[in-house]
Amino acid sequence: RGRMSDTTTPLARAGIEHGGKAANLAWLIKHGYHVPDGIVVDHTDSQALARWLDPSQEYAVRSSASVEDGPEHSFAGQFTSALGVAGVDVVHDAVREVLDSVDDPRLAPYLVHAGVEPGSVTMHVIVQEMVPAVAAGVAFSRNPLTGLADVLIEAVPGTGDQLLSGRETPERWVRHWGEWTEQPEASPLPESVAVELAEHVATMAKAWGAPID
């Protein structure tokens, strides 16, 4: 999509030095899973963004902090995200807001709880093609409510920000040994997609070597 700058990395080549979220998405790409195209940046660079952005495309601008998406703490919803943004100037401003969110004083209690020194957190930003989601949410390879080796899917209509923020109660699917033991009566998430998700999560966890969400 254009030449990358020294501080702009294609998402597929991201490593742990680019934060947990970017590194995990790169792992999914390398293992053949579909992930929307994106880049990782560590500062605001309008020229670099202009070389990569498609003016007709909307983007998700998401945090990838050094403390995110780890085995002990997810930091879900703690940093700023911007969904459905378009145009170099708007994306540039969104990148700046995500970078600045690492210094948000509202983050302090979570850092204390996690045992993380505030000054030790570094931030990268993922700029990723926006998916016009019919439904979105989180899938777990192990049921966090029971500890059993069931796949649990929690989903809400549209994008997942309402779920992550706790403002909307998700519908729940639970799959045990290939059979649904819990599923909603009506859902924007087609059952065929839920089955595919459950299968993907199980194979991802096997490849990862530990339970995942």
Side-chain angles (χ1 to χ4, degrees):
R1 179 78 62 73
R3 183 175 61 85
M4 299 290 104
S5 73
D6 292 340
T7 54
T8 303
T9 303
L11 185 56
R13 295 211 298 266
I16 194 60
E17 67 275 13
H18 300 102
K21 188 178 296 177
N24 290 342
L25 289 171
W27 183 91
L28 289 173
I29 294 169
K30 291 171 186 175
H31 284 77
Y33 294 100
H34 177 69
V35 174
D37 195 20
I39 56 175
V40 187
V41 299
D42 65 359
H43 76 300
T44 51
D45 184 339
S46 295
Q47 291 185 344
L49 289 173
R51 286 194 292 268
W52 186 79
L53 294 179
D54 180 345
S56 65
Q57 172 73 46
E58 290 189 339
Y59 294 90
V61 181
R62 311 169 63 203
S63 62
S64 184
S66 55
V67 292
E68 273 187 289
D69 291 359
E72 297 181 1
H73 302 283
S74 71
F75 279 77
Q78 297 301 308
F79 300 106
T80 298
S81 293
L83 303 180
V85 295
V88 174
D89 291 341
V90 180
V91 173
H92 176 276
D93 290 345
V95 169
R96 171 49 55 195
E97 289 179 8
V98 176
L99 289 170
D100 289 346
S101 68
V102 75
D103 297 318
D104 190 328
R106 292 175 294 181
L107 181 63
Y110 196 103
L111 292 172
V112 171
H113 175 73
V116 176
E117 289 290 335
S120 68
V121 180
T122 59
M123 177 67 77
H124 283 74
V125 181
I126 301 167
V127 181
Q128 197 172 15
E129 291 183 353
M130 184 72 189
V131 175
V134 174
V138 183
F140 302 82
S141 67
R142 177 177 292 173
N143 192 326
L145 303 176
T146 65
L148 298 176
D150 300 335
V151 172
L152 183 145
I153 300 169
E154 292 187 335
V156 295
T159 58
D161 52 326
Q162 296 294 315
L163 171 60
L164 293 176
S165 66
R167 292 192 295 268
E168 188 166 343
T169 302
E171 60 187 32
R172 181 171 293 138
W173 305 67
V174 180
R175 194 164 178 84
H176 178 76
W177 293 102
E179 300 290 338
W180 295 116
T181 59
E182 183 180 344
Q183 65 184 116
E185 292 183 4
S187 171
L189 183 68
E191 183 176 357
S192 60
V193 176
V195 170
E196 185 179 6
L197 281 171
E199 292 173 349
H200 281 333
V201 170
T203 58
M204 288 174 192
K206 185 176 180 180
W208 186 261
I212 64 165
D213 62 83

